[in-house]
Amino acid sequence: MTEATHTFLLPTSTSFDSTKKIVSTAAPKAQESSKSSDGLMTEKQREEAEWESINVLLLMHGLKPLSLVKRTDTKDLIIFDKQSSQRMRENLKTLMEETSRQQNMIRELIETNKQLKNELQLQHSRAADQEQRANDLEQIMESVKSKIGEMEDESLNRVCQQQNKIKELQKEHKALQAKCEHYKKKRMEQQETIASLQKDVCRLTKEDEERIITQNRVFSYLCKRVPHTILDRQ
């Protein structure tokens, strides 16, 4: 196992070998002679296993592990009692768990940020699509407005043309009415002339009849005269 920057001598409660016994400077303990060597070894192994699990956690978090030293030379060592060693293990476990929790939180935050970024991109994409759609609709509206303006102009021109046509027709109607009145008046004059001519014809006819009657009377009178002269015959 790789050595750390500082080497720690970690106690394992009481030792079965008196030559390897380590006494803490802060709170020394007496040897418990009533315990068996097998029980002491089991407790020592348990404590070593706990430190090994702490080293595993340190390695998982990218930190250097601690070294377990089995020697009596304490010149370069810092010695902790059993209680301090237990608290150190607990503190390290707590730190590792807190670090894991924070790393999990960081990963969750990163994932949440990714999701937010994706959602933001999606919203930007939707906003861009909506903006494009709004622009398209605006162009359509402008086209419709332009078409409506053209239709209004055409309708206005058509109305103006119709009004002008109506005025022309009204003028033509008045002119035709005037001509009609003129022709009526002329027809009445012609009828009066015809009536006058008919009267003249009747008068002349009567006069001609009277003339013929007179001629016949004269002729009859002349025919009755005797002797007849050549002039009378003629």
Side-chain angles (χ1 to χ4, degrees):
M1 186 179 296
T2 307
E3 292 186 359
T5 305
H6 297 284
T7 304
F8 297 90
L9 178 62
L10 303 176
T12 58
S13 64
T14 56
S15 176
F16 63 91
D17 191 353
S18 59
T19 59
K20 296 182 179 180
K21 180 180 178 181
I22 300 173
V23 181
S24 173
T25 59
K29 293 187 177 181
Q31 181 181 5
E32 297 178 0
S33 58
S34 60
K35 292 183 179 180
S36 64
S37 61
D38 293 337
L40 294 175
M41 181 60 70
T42 301
E43 186 177 357
K44 179 181 178 182
Q45 290 176 351
R46 180 184 60 77
E47 191 171 359
E48 289 179 353
E50 290 181 0
W51 280 108
E52 288 295 335
S53 64
I54 294 296
N55 284 335
V56 172
L57 292 174
L58 291 172
L59 288 172
M60 288 175 60
H61 288 83
L63 300 174
K64 293 181 179 181
L66 300 175
S67 299
L68 299 177
V69 180
K70 298 179 181 179
R71 62 183 181 181
T72 58
D73 185 10
T74 61
K75 182 179 180 181
D76 297 330
L77 302 178
I78 298 175
I79 302 173
F80 298 95
D81 60 4
K82 182 179 179 180
Q83 187 177 3
S84 298
S85 177
Q86 180 67 27
R87 283 199 302 267
M88 184 180 292
R89 290 196 301 274
E90 292 175 355
N91 291 335
L92 287 174
K93 286 182 180 179
T94 302
L95 288 174
M96 294 301 102
E97 291 174 355
E98 182 66 19
T99 302
S100 298
R101 188 183 68 80
Q102 291 180 355
Q103 287 180 350
N104 291 331
M105 186 182 296
I106 291 172
R107 282 194 293 269
E108 292 176 357
L109 289 174
I110 292 173
E111 186 65 25
T112 303
N113 287 335
K114 288 182 180 179
Q115 293 177 359
L116 289 175
K117 286 181 180 179
N118 293 333
E119 186 175 356
L120 183 61
Q121 290 179 355
L122 181 61
Q123 293 296 332
H124 284 167
S125 178
R126 290 178 178 176
D129 293 339
Q130 291 179 353
E131 185 177 1
Q132 182 63 35
R133 186 177 180 183
N135 292 331
D136 295 339
L137 290 175
E138 187 176 358
Q139 291 179 358
I140 293 173
M141 287 292 294
E142 292 296 330
S143 177
V144 171
K145 287 181 180 179
S146 177
K147 188 66 177 179
I148 290 174
E150 291 177 359
M151 293 177 66
E152 288 178 349
D153 293 338
E154 291 178 358
S155 178
L156 184 61
N157 292 331
R158 192 179 297 110
V159 170
C160 292
Q161 291 176 359
Q162 290 177 353
Q163 289 179 349
N164 293 331
K165 187 68 176 180
I166 290 172
K167 289 180 180 180
E168 291 177 359
L169 291 175
Q170 288 176 346
K171 289 180 181 180
E172 291 180 0
H173 179 68
K174 289 181 180 180
L176 290 174
Q177 283 183 339
K179 287 182 179 180
C180 184
E181 293 294 331
H182 174 71
Y183 287 135
K184 283 182 179 180
K185 185 177 180 180
K186 190 173 182 180
R187 183 175 63 82
M188 290 178 65
E189 292 177 354
Q190 288 176 351
Q191 286 179 351
E192 290 177 355
T193 303
I194 290 171
S196 178
L197 291 174
Q198 286 178 348
K199 288 180 181 181
D200 291 340
V201 169
C202 290
R203 182 178 56 79
L204 291 174
T205 301
K206 187 176 180 180
E207 290 178 354
D208 189 63
E209 288 178 353
E210 291 177 352
R211 184 181 59 78
I212 291 172
I213 291 172
T214 302
Q215 286 180 352
N216 289 333
R217 286 177 181 176
V218 172
F219 183 73
S220 297
Y221 174 75
L222 291 176
C223 287
K224 290 178 180 180
R225 288 177 61 186
V226 287
H228 295 288
T229 62
I230 297 173
L231 180 61
D232 294 334
R233 292 175 181 174
Q234 291 177 353

